[in-house]
Amino acid sequence: MFKNKLAFVLLCLVLIVTACGPSDETTTENKGDSGGKKAIKLTFTEPARLLSVAPLYVAIEQGFFEEEGIEAEIVSGGGGAQVIASVLSGEAQFAVSGPRSMFTPLDKGEDLLAIQSLNSALTYQISLSKQYQKKKSVSKDSSFEDRVASLSGATIGTNLVGDSGDVYTRYLMQLHGVDPDTLKTVKLAGDGSKIGGMQEGIVDGGIASPPMGLQAESKDVGEIVINTSEEPMYGNMVWEAVFAKKEYLEENHETSLKVVRAIGKGMEFTRNNPREAAESIVSYFDGIDVDILEESIIGLKDTFKGYGEMNQEAWDNAQDPLVEFGKLSGVSTKQDTTEDVIWTNSYIEEAFKK
């Protein structure tokens, strides 16, 4: 009887030890490999649904994250402030947003690092209504100088007064000798409200990344008069960067490499297969025709460069306008843009090494 009791106790101890052993939590980074192991669950936060972020969406829909053993979720909305709050609180592991989202928390001592840029140029387009074009005798075929000059005295719709679209447009005007104070911006969040505002004569145009401009053209409301990437400075610029807390990146190095690899594959696929890319992410953009998405992606494809490599000049070009218009942007301190300080290509180099 004593032996039976002893055997029972030993069996219970084995069961307890087994239960307390390593679990199958999906947050463990080595669980993402093939072989039936659970995927790593990661949350990405973005300020809004943006076509300039298409490679991230494509990477999810084409299974590139799944190939890396990652289950990716996107939390969208709330602007740059919400993006930063989500990353700093740990609710999201990675942010995908314009560099401006990084600069204010960096100034406050937060340790953030960008590891990839989805775009190698600023993607904003400035569309002007047909009425305003006629008033200013300007069209998309006018010289670049004349098109920028036409912004003097314009009332333009933007997502938020003082947002990045507002700041980068004013800096563009200043570069070309046009007084930026002559521009009036009005808060019209979303593409539909900007197009409606142009249609009703409330605003003369709108600032947004694609596909807003092509939507305005399809409704015969206005035209894309300025692609901001036509300005050489904006043609080499970090935009929609992938960043995270340094501590997280260091503690989850392999997972971070997988993220960079999946998004890099998404960039390559989007660049080379615009139609298939558009079809795979059309559900992300309610009410927008797939043909407009495809045409917009074709217009953006040159910004989906390489696997998202960055350079110091591109970071300076992103930062300088924000500092120049610091009262609007809230960015007052210049960050050190030397490689490996607030950004690095090392994850891309390691993820795609031959």
Side-chain angles (χ1 to χ4, degrees):
M1 186 178 204
F2 173 79
K3 287 183 179 180
N4 289 339
K5 286 184 178 180
L6 180 62
F8 177 78
V9 169
L10 289 173
L11 177 61
C12 289
L13 287 172
V14 169
L15 291 173
I16 291 169
V17 170
T18 302
C20 294
S23 69
D24 288 329
E25 287 295 320
T26 57
T27 52
T28 304
E29 76 173 56
N30 61 5
K31 296 291 181 183
D33 299 328
S34 58
K37 295 181 181 179
K38 290 184 179 180
I40 309 160
K41 289 185 178 180
L42 294 178
T43 300
F44 295 79
T45 178
E46 62 176 5
R49 190 46 43 88
L50 303 163
L51 193 59
S52 47
V53 181
L56 171 63
Y57 311 147
V58 169
I60 294 172
E61 297 305 318
Q62 292 297 323
F64 299 138
F65 277 107
E66 188 178 356
E67 289 173 6
E68 298 292 338
I70 292 172
E71 183 182 328
E73 178 188 11
I74 300 174
V75 175
S76 184
Q82 184 60 46
V83 163
I84 290 302
S86 297
V87 169
L88 295 182
S89 68
E91 291 178 11
Q93 290 74 46
F94 292 91
V96 183
S97 186
R100 177 181 178 177
S101 297
M102 285 183 64
F103 289 134
T104 300
L106 284 169
D107 191 30
K108 294 178 180 177
E110 300 292 349
D111 217 2
L112 302 171
L113 185 70
I115 59 174
Q116 198 169 26
S117 179
L118 272 68
N119 310 105
S120 60
L122 186 63
T123 61
Y124 284 130
Q125 296 173 327
I126 302 172
S127 302
L128 297 177
S129 69
K130 291 292 186 70
Q131 302 97 306
Y132 189 75
Q133 287 179 68
K134 185 176 180 180
K135 175 183 174 181
K136 288 283 187 171
S137 300
V138 68
S139 74
K140 58 185 176 183
D141 297 321
S142 302
S143 70
F144 189 59
E145 293 291 333
D146 286 345
R147 284 179 281 145
V148 174
S150 73
L151 297 176
S152 179
T155 299
I156 302 292
T158 189
N159 287 337
L160 185 67
V161 174
D163 66 4
S164 294
D166 191 348
V167 170
Y168 288 123
T169 299
R170 291 180 191 277
Y171 193 83
L172 175 66
M173 294 171 69
Q174 184 170 284
L175 282 176
H176 292 269
V178 183
D179 184 358
D181 290 337
T182 61
L183 179 72
K184 180 182 178 183
T185 52
V186 175
K187 178 183 176 181
L188 290 174
D191 293 351
S193 60
K194 293 182 186 70
I195 293 169
M198 292 164 63
Q199 209 162 19
E200 296 298 322
I202 298 168
V203 291
D204 302 314
I207 306 163
S209 290
M212 193 277 282
L214 285 178
Q215 287 180 281
E217 290 185 359
S218 71
K219 297 177 185 297
D220 201 32
V221 173
E223 283 186 325
I224 302 166
V225 173
I226 297 172
N227 282 290
T228 53
S229 60
E230 294 178 78
E231 168 54 47
M233 176 179 175
Y234 290 164
N236 176 32
M237 184 172 151
V238 171
W239 193 238
E240 310 302 1
V242 181
F243 61 91
K245 292 194 289 187
K246 276 187 181 179
E247 182 183 12
Y248 176 85
L249 295 170
E250 290 166 359
E251 293 178 355
N252 299 274
H253 184 76
E254 290 301 318
T255 295
S256 303
L257 290 177
K258 291 173 187 231
V259 166
V260 164
R261 191 156 44 237
I263 294 175
K265 289 177 182 177
M267 292 179 70
E268 187 173 50
F269 186 93
T270 306
R271 185 170 63 241
N272 296 333
N273 306 279
R275 181 66 187 189
E276 194 172 346
E279 289 173 342
S280 71
I281 64 172
V282 68
S283 63
Y284 286 64
F285 298 91
D286 291 338
I288 299 179
D289 187 82
V290 69
D291 291 334
I292 287 179
L293 282 182
E294 179 190 14
E295 191 175 347
S296 296
I297 288 172
I298 291 170
L300 285 168
K301 73 174 185 176
D302 287 341
T303 77
F304 304 136
K305 191 174 180 180
Y307 296 118
E309 295 86 347
M310 300 166 281
N311 60 72
Q312 184 173 358
E313 183 182 6
W315 273 95
D316 288 336
N317 291 342
Q319 178 174 229
D320 289 349
L322 298 172
V323 174
E324 176 71 16
F325 288 89
K327 288 183 179 179
L328 275 178
S329 70
V331 178
S332 57
T333 305
K334 277 199 171 188
Q335 299 294 325
D336 183 355
T337 56
T338 307
E339 186 169 5
D340 298 324
V341 178
I342 63 171
W343 65 276
T344 184
N345 284 330
S346 63
Y347 287 84
I348 294 173
E349 291 164 359
E350 188 176 349
F352 290 98
K353 64 185 177 183
K354 301 298 182 183

